Amino acid sequence: MRRVAFSRLRLLLGMLTLLLATATSTFAAPAPSSPAKKVAFLPFETHAAKDLSYLTSGIRDMLASRLAAGAKIQVVPRATVDHALGGGKPSQPEQIRALGRQMGADYVVTGSLTAIGAGMSLDAKVYNLATNEPAQTFFATAASENDIITAIDQLTWDIGAKVFGAQRPGSAAAPVAANQQPAQPQYLSAHPERAFMGAGGRGASPFIRPLGSTGPFGFSKSQNFNMYLQAMDAGDVDGDGQDEVILADRNEVGIYKRDGKKLQKVGQVLLPVNHKIHYISVADLNHSGKAAIYVSAADEAEPHSYAFIWQGKDKVDYLFKDAKWYIRAMELPGEGMTLLGQHAAVSKPIMPGVFRLDLVKGALVKGAQVQLPDWVNVFDFSMADLEKNGSYDIVAIDQFDRLVVAKPSGSILWKSDDYFGGTNRYIGGRKAIGQKGDMDDTGDPEGRIYIPSRIVIADLNKDGVVDVLVNKNLSTSSRLFKNMKNYPSGEIHALTWNGIALTEIWRTRKIDGYIADYLLRPDKKEPTAELLVGLVLRQGDFDIFSSKKSTVLMYNLDFSEAEKAPKEEAE
């Protein structure tokens, strides 16, 4: 392996030499009178299951050298940067800015290389030390390691043009590698004999195909975020007719505007540090035109939940604060979006019984109970008329990560042999339930209740019958050891009811990283949808425990061919 890595490094350095020889033609440089800006390039981080340091080291130097030649910047020597770092690495913006000023730089560039399957993504941030504005973010993707040079080119062009005013000539459009192979389809079909050839590729789902705009992976990717993603949702929270994406860290809710693949942070709401977020919902329950954000949070003993209307930046109008309910807004058949809640017990983190909740004068009032099996908690389930007979079944993930279909009375119709779900989120878990104190990960696992991601109900193959979309985080150790939750990769599965069981329609290919949450966003007019997957990135075999890098993958789904596909007959 060391020999292979060394050979790749030599190849990369050879490419670097060739690129530096031609770098001056990359940009139409700014006017000679423009003063050269001093730019410090910090070491790039790696988010991958394998060692890619031989790449990140070269990428840092290549990006610096190409920008120096094309954008006429002055690069702070690498030795100066490494000496200033002193073996450490700043992670907060104020630390990065302070380090840059210490070196006399005008700008600081940080970045990371993320490996997702065979593909790679380059993310960079550029800090302008003359202002206190947030760093500008840039990213580029490569279908494989062989295409990393093209990705560096794209990153260089974007930074040079948007930050330093260097004009990219029309002839400098990114070339397509002659030997580049079509990306592998991101959807595997349960019926490969029906797969469509062409856009989807061999093995693509006969019902859902990635659209051509998704990029070299079969999906697009947002920039990386400095957070351990807990939950996500989307909705129109400012009343402008466009949905915002809501991302929750452990005790922070961030509001993001969409700009293509980029998510621009426009606001945030902080919770007390010991009120750990485990679920968020976005819903316009009073039909005001502005959706509220419902945050279910808890310390080690009891819930502390919030709901608010966002008013811009960090300003909110609270509907309620510090409510002693675990909460969730969800669609109930025949009722529409409804706020549900569940109490904590005296000696356990949760009490049986899920109730409809009403808001009366800033307080939550318990309404009618939802008929559910006793073992189902407020976060575990969705409701679906799987057989299209007018009655509703409960689709749930139990605490053993089994997918279950049951009647509201509790009778089990089916339970999966395979594992689904898989989560790091939990409530409870302190050694002595009921005592006060900050929650951490050292508590008694016997007191923990794990909170799975949502279960999405939708017609995913256009046959008039609703289907089930569910995540599957992959790990053997996490199912063998109750207190060891480490999920290095995951998948999204679409399932349909065949009369006796849920069976697979399609699934994504394996995604490197822990799937924290996901959303399906159907288009109201066209037979298409977008699947958003919130991902905590891997930094090593066990770094998922402490990783603070997350991203959002965006799959564009095309249902149009599903309408032409033959309907599957019940077996």
Side-chain angles (χ1 to χ4, degrees), residues 214-289:
T214 54
F217 305 142
F219 56 80
S220 298
K221 173 187 171 297
S222 75
Q223 71 273 31
N224 290 349
F225 303 98
N226 291 320
M227 68 164 67
Y228 189 106
L229 183 66
Q230 299 296 309
M232 65 186 294
D233 207 344
D236 184 6
V237 300
D238 60 2
D240 67 351
Q242 302 294 321
D243 285 354
E244 285 71 44
V245 177
I246 315 301
L247 304 179
D249 203 339
R250 295 182 189 273
N251 69 313
E252 177 185 327
V253 178
I255 298 98
Y256 295 81
K257 290 279 189 182
R258 289 285 300 270
D259 181 11
K261 296 180 292 184
K262 185 177 180 180
L263 298 177
Q264 181 65 44
K265 191 173 185 179
V266 293
Q268 67 177 18
V269 180
L270 296 176
L271 272 60
V273 68
N274 64 328
H275 292 183
K276 185 177 177 182
I277 298 170
H278 50 261
Y279 205 93
I280 60 172
S281 312
V282 178
D284 184 7
L285 298 181
N286 63 359
H287 308 289
S288 68

Side-chain angles (χ1 to χ4, degrees), residues 1-13 50-55 145:
M1 290 299 295
R2 291 180 179 273
R3 254 175 150 183
V4 173
F6 183 70
S7 298
R8 287 175 174 170
L9 179 58
R10 290 182 62 187
L11 176 62
L12 185 63
L13 291 175
K50 58 183 178 180
D51 182 12
L52 294 177
S53 57
Y54 64 93
L55 275 179
E145 192 173 314

Side-chain angles (χ1 to χ4, degrees), residues 461-474:
N461 58 4
K462 295 298 179 181
D463 62 354
V465 177
V466 294
D467 305 300
V468 176
L469 194 69
V470 63
N471 73 318
K472 179 190 284 189
N473 280 312
L474 305 174

Side-chain angles (χ1 to χ4, degrees), residues 41-92:
F41 292 79
L42 302 192
F44 272 49
E45 297 178 355
T46 302
H47 306 291
K50 58 183 178 180
D51 182 12
L52 294 177
S53 57
Y54 64 93
L55 275 179
T56 52
S57 178
I59 289 168
R60 175 190 178 188
D61 292 338
M62 189 179 297
L63 185 62
S65 298
R66 301 211 76 185
L67 281 170
K72 303 303 180 185
I73 64 169
Q74 180 182 349
V75 177
V76 177
R78 178 171 179 156
T80 301
V81 174
D82 292 345
H83 181 267
L85 288 170
K89 194 169 186 181
S91 58
Q92 299 302 315

